Amino acid sequence: MPSALEETLDTVTDLLASYLGEGHQCREYELIRWLQEPAQAIFQPNALSDTMMLFRANFIVMHCLYRLRQRWLDEQRGYLTISSLEVGLQPISEASANQLPGEHDPLADYYLNLSHLDTDEASVEALLNDFWRRMVVPEQNDEDFATLQLQPPTDAHTLRQQYRRLANQHHPDKGGDSEQFRKITAAYQRLKYAF
């Protein structure tokens, strides 16, 4: 008898096959939102509001997409393009050679290994922080420190305090300049992952 998780994964895979098999092309986020709708009722309405719930929802969708990709390749039905910006079925003849899975696909390996679904909250936070650290343009750090009227080195507490002070001062609802408020917020968002 299959486990509850395996039944859920089979159901999600079948729902995705039905939806994507009709020719829908969308982003992964849109698939999660679609699976939240009452007609599918796979994810709760708050599935995107909490870091751990979002991680697990994303993992389940990606796991099922990679299962579906392999199923459709085995059936010669087509190639499922999987990225955060586009998920969709295309004929194998239109898939470029570098899109078709080779001997090793690290993302598929990761998402097809269900033990990763049990990743703890600290590890998820570390993954997210690492992602954001890599996304920050280092050359922008000096400009961001200047926007926040800080000098490096600083610590997370000082950074947060200064951000709150400046955000409060420049908040549009308090008569501040909305452009300056956006610059301050963006600078803080980029710098906070460095700490």
Side-chain angles (χ1 to χ4, degrees):
M1 180 171 189
S3 69
L5 175 60
E6 197 56 46
E7 285 183 22
T8 299
L9 295 173
D10 289 343
T11 300
V12 172
T13 303
D14 291 343
L15 283 169
L16 292 172
S18 168
Y19 185 73
L20 296 168
E22 293 174 352
H24 294 278
Q25 300 224 349
C26 57
R27 297 181 314 219
E28 178 205 359
Y29 173 80
E30 292 165 339
L31 286 175
I32 294 173
R33 297 297 295 198
W34 179 75
L35 289 166
Q36 283 180 296
E37 292 176 5
Q40 289 69 243
I42 296 295
F43 298 127
Q44 295 179 3
N46 64 347
L48 301 176
S49 63
D50 170 79
T51 301
M52 287 305 294
M53 291 174 67
L54 175 60
F55 172 80
R56 290 188 175 119
N58 171 73
F59 188 93
I60 288 169
V61 168
M62 293 299 284
H63 174 86
C64 293
L65 287 171
Y66 281 108
R67 285 173 68 174
L68 183 57
R69 173 192 276 174
Q70 192 56 53
R71 179 197 304 171
W72 281 349
L73 280 171
D74 292 345
E75 296 170 354
Q76 294 292 303
R77 176 144 184 218
Y79 178 76
L80 186 61
T81 302
I82 303 171
S83 78
S84 59
L85 300 177
E86 180 185 25
V87 177
L89 178 63
Q90 61 179 309
I92 292 175
S93 61
E94 290 181 17
S96 66
N98 63 349
Q99 284 181 310
L100 293 173
E103 294 175 23
H104 183 69
D105 182 350
L107 273 180
D109 291 345
Y110 177 81
Y111 284 112
L112 289 171
N113 181 345
L114 285 175
S115 69
H116 294 296
L117 186 57
D118 295 327
T119 302
D120 64 27
E121 189 167 2
S123 297
V124 170
E125 289 295 331
L127 286 169
L128 289 172
N129 287 339
D130 181 58
F131 167 79
W132 286 114
R133 254 192 296 282
R134 286 185 282 128
M135 294 301 292
V136 172
V137 179
E139 301 81 42
Q140 206 163 348
N141 279 352
D142 292 340
E143 185 179 318
D144 289 339
F145 276 113
T147 298
L148 293 172
Q149 301 170 7
L150 290 170
Q151 294 291 321
T154 191
D155 58 48
H157 177 73
T158 304
L159 177 68
R160 187 172 39 257
Q161 270 189 322
Q162 181 67 350
Y163 163 71
R164 287 180 178 163
R165 186 183 73 73
L166 291 173
N168 188 42
Q169 178 183 341
H170 294 283
H171 198 285
D173 291 347
K174 297 182 178 183
D177 177 18
S178 61
E179 180 65 27
Q180 185 62 23
F181 176 76
R182 284 192 293 274
K183 286 180 184 178
I184 290 165
T185 301
Y188 174 70
Q189 291 299 318
R190 286 187 293 266
L191 287 175
K192 75 178 183 179
Y193 292 104
F195 298 98

